Amino acid sequence: MSQPNDYLPPALTTAAATAALALTLSLPLLQMDAVSRHLLNPARLRTKRRRHQLYETDKTVEIQRLRGRAVVQQAADSAAAAAAAAAGVGSTKVSSAAAKMDGSTWRYNPKSDRLATELLTTRTDYDELVAQIMNKTAASPYVVTIGRDEETEETAGLDKREIYLWLAFPPSTTSPSSSSSTTDKGNIKREWRRVQVPLVPFLTALSDAFDDQITSTALCFVSDASSGLAADVLHSVLDEDGGAGVAVVKEPSWMVTVGRIAQGNLVRRENLVRAVFGLCRLEAWRVRDHVGS
């Protein structure tokens, strides 16, 4: 049976192959900025560069989001293995869990992470979480990431356009909380607590709580184009006085995400202002032990 190319003259077959090769080679070349400068007018060149910048930013944000959740999961697995080893429970399971802590073999498991994360969606849930955060004797949470959850609509029947905040509470070193620790024969079982909450409703409640909180912590925001050097210089200058009450939170990853949310007008401005206030106060609350009373 004849093939389609059998009906084409050799010259046409060669021309078609050459055209296909040229198209394949020209597409990557058009993506190069050096080539685009000669082919596109200034307006289209700016548009192309802006789209590429946004693409790279979003890709970096997504990588950082997964990296943050992976770090928390690894810390939780390590804490669980250490707790099991200290209790002398299941030596085989402990050794296999410890083996996963090897950086070359441990892998982030999104399904396991999801199962270990609490999805909080009610006002009662928000109030309980805020109360845990405001408890000065409890461990303060880390801001893990901010973003949408594409699987939420299927698993919980919620709007997948909702933007969520992920928090991670490290094991408490003082008194256990009712939701993050349990007791077994009088011993405290300490575990990481991972929660997922809608960004705006929860941070609005948290901001209200911080508004009522009397604190001596002063926030100083440093923003410039020195790739973070300004924060380092400020810290070193203040540290010359003996390090009296200075803590630096440098380039938290959630700031880039919040910037993209603002650019896309995904959240109303007044709600976003409250969210940023709550996040900044939460970061300061987490490092309060470093600045004294």
Side-chain angles (χ1 to χ4, degrees):
M1 182 176 180
S2 300
Q3 298 296 323
N5 286 340
D6 293 342
Y7 296 99
L8 295 176
L12 291 180
T13 302
T14 303
T18 303
L21 178 61
L23 180 62
T24 302
L25 294 177
S26 63
L27 288 177
L29 288 175
L30 287 174
Q31 300 299 321
M32 297 175 58
D33 190 75
V35 176
S36 299
R37 283 183 294 175
H38 297 285
L39 300 179
L40 302 178
N41 60 50
R44 293 186 62 187
L45 181 59
R46 285 194 298 270
T47 301
K48 174 187 174 297
R49 286 175 173 174
R50 181 58 177 164
R51 288 177 179 174
H52 179 71
Q53 290 170 352
L54 293 178
Y55 168 76
E56 292 295 333
T57 299
D58 290 339
K59 184 171 67 173
T60 302
V61 168
E62 179 63 17
I63 292 174
Q64 185 63 32
R65 183 181 71 85
L66 294 175
R67 182 177 298 168
R69 297 183 66 173
V71 167
V72 172
Q73 186 182 33
Q74 186 173 18
D77 289 349
S78 180
V89 178
S91 59
T92 302
K93 294 182 179 180
V94 171
S95 60
S96 62
K100 290 185 178 181
M101 293 305 101
D102 181 359
S104 62
T105 60
W106 188 89
R107 293 291 182 272
Y108 171 60
N109 187 335
K111 183 176 180 180
S112 175
D113 182 32
R114 175 173 292 276
L115 292 175
T117 301
E118 305 171 50
L119 176 60
L120 309 180
T121 59
T122 67
R123 178 66 193 199
T124 301
D125 293 335
Y126 306 155
D127 291 341
E128 292 177 353
L129 190 60
V130 168
Q132 181 181 353
I133 292 175
M134 303 305 292
N135 182 0
K136 294 183 179 181
T137 63
S140 297
Y142 292 91
V143 177
V144 180
T145 188
I146 297 173
R148 288 192 169 122
D149 187 354
E150 298 297 335
E151 298 184 25
T152 297
E153 183 183 35
E154 300 177 0
T155 59
L158 301 177
D159 187 354
K160 68 178 181 180
R161 294 175 299 177
E162 184 73 67
I163 300 176
Y164 292 93
L165 168 69
W166 280 263
L167 298 173
F169 292 80
S172 177
T173 57
T174 54
S175 59
S177 65
S178 58
S179 57
S180 62
S181 304
T182 58
T183 57
D184 182 14
K185 296 181 180 180
N187 296 322
I188 296 176
K189 183 188 297 182
R190 308 187 190 281
E191 299 176 350
W192 282 76
R193 184 190 183 194
R194 287 169 270 181
V195 298
Q196 173 186 346
V197 291
L199 179 74
V200 172
F202 170 72
L203 286 180
T204 299
L206 184 62
S207 297
D208 294 340
F210 276 126
D211 278 337
D212 298 332
Q213 179 73 24
I214 299 177
T215 176
S216 60
T217 303
L219 301 179
C220 177
F221 295 91
V222 180
S223 176
D224 64 352
S226 64
S227 300
L229 292 179
D232 291 337
V233 171
L234 177 64
H235 187 200
S236 62
V237 170
L238 296 177
D239 198 47
E240 289 181 357
D241 294 332
V246 178
V248 175
V249 179
K250 184 179 178 181
E251 301 176 5
S253 59
W254 57 262
M255 277 194 170
V256 178
T257 307
V258 170
R260 292 293 290 122
I261 291 174
Q263 281 184 325
N265 293 320
L266 303 180
V267 174
R268 294 176 60 181
R269 183 180 181 277
E270 56 269 27
N271 292 336
L272 194 60
V273 168
R274 294 297 288 170
V276 171
F277 172 79
L279 288 167
C280 292
R281 288 297 302 270
L282 182 58
E283 292 284 8
W285 188 253
R286 181 174 58 82
V287 298
R288 66 187 184 278
D289 292 339
H290 300 281
V291 298
S293 58

